[in-house]
Each structure stands twice: as C-alpha cells, then as structure tokens.
Amino acid sequence: QVQAVESGGALVQAGGSLRLSCVASKYIVNWNCWGWFRQRPGKEREQVATIFGGGDSTSYADSVKGRFTISQVNANDTVYLLMNKLTPDDTAIYYCAANSFFTGAQCSQFRGINRWGQGTQVIVSP
C-alpha cells in the first residue's frame, strides 16, 4: 500500500517559499519516524529532512539546513515541509515516507522505502 500522499508542489521563483504536505495512510499512523526525500533531475533520491517522535528530534541535509523546516501535526497524521529561500537546485520531485525506530539518531539515518508514492513536483525558476 502507499504509505502517504504528498501535495503542495508548484512552480516558484528563486527566493520564494512553498509548504509541502504529507498525509499518512491509516496503515502507518503509529510509525514514529517521518522523512522527506527528493529526487533531483539526473540524480539519485536523497534524504532532505526527518522528524522523530512527533517532533522530539529533527535532522536536515546540509544543503537545506536553515532554509527548510519539517514539522508534524496531530501525532503522525500530517507531516509538513516548509521550504524557504528556494533555489533552482531545489527543483525535484519530493516524497515522504515513514518507518519505526527506537531513537532519533536512527531516524536521522532513514534512507527510505521500497515502494514510493507519486511525490509532488517542485520547480524553482531562476
């Protein structure tokens, strides 16, 4: 089954902001680690940010630190990714995924799942 449904992607100018949403399916609402991932054109999918325990800890890729913020609402129901100061290098398809781990440190190493959803397209124009 699809874990979650992503939305919020759009075409935006460099320097702009977007907020992506990820709504969990009923099958995974109790999982404690959520991650946003992206696949840029011609590159492999990479982790962007993770959140553990509803917000107990978060982690970010170096390329987005200080610009992106991951957050969670309603205890495992919806996860957001607020993206500020976007650059053309942020152009990608963004995906979310979930898993269960014992610690935030383990969650920060979350590399993804086997079956991804559709993702949401973000295009940043110069």
Side-chain angles (χ1 to χ4, degrees), residues 78-94:
T78 305
V79 178
Y80 297 102
L81 185 69
L82 176 61
M83 307 186 295
N84 294 321
K85 300 179 182 178
L86 286 162
T87 74
D89 202 41
D90 295 314
T91 294
I93 300 175
Y94 285 74

Side-chain angles (χ1 to χ4, degrees), residues 33-35 37 46-52 57-60 99 101 103-113:
C33 174
W34 282 86
F37 301 80
E46 60 182 348
Q47 185 203 90
V48 174
T50 65
I51 186 166
F52 177 75
S57 66
T58 57
S59 69
Y60 297 92
N99 209 327
F101 294 103
T103 68
Q106 291 174 330
C107 178
S108 71
Q109 301 300 312
F110 182 26
R111 290 293 173 257
I113 56 178

Side-chain angles (χ1 to χ4, degrees), residues 53-88:
D56 289 346
S57 66
T58 57
S59 69
Y60 297 92
D62 288 343
S63 59
V64 307
K65 277 181 182 176
R67 300 188 299 121
F68 290 13
T69 303
I70 188 171
S71 61
Q72 191 166 9
V73 176
N74 296 331
N76 304 326
D77 181 59
T78 305
V79 178
Y80 297 102
L81 185 69
L82 176 61
M83 307 186 295
N84 294 321
K85 300 179 182 178
L86 286 162
T87 74

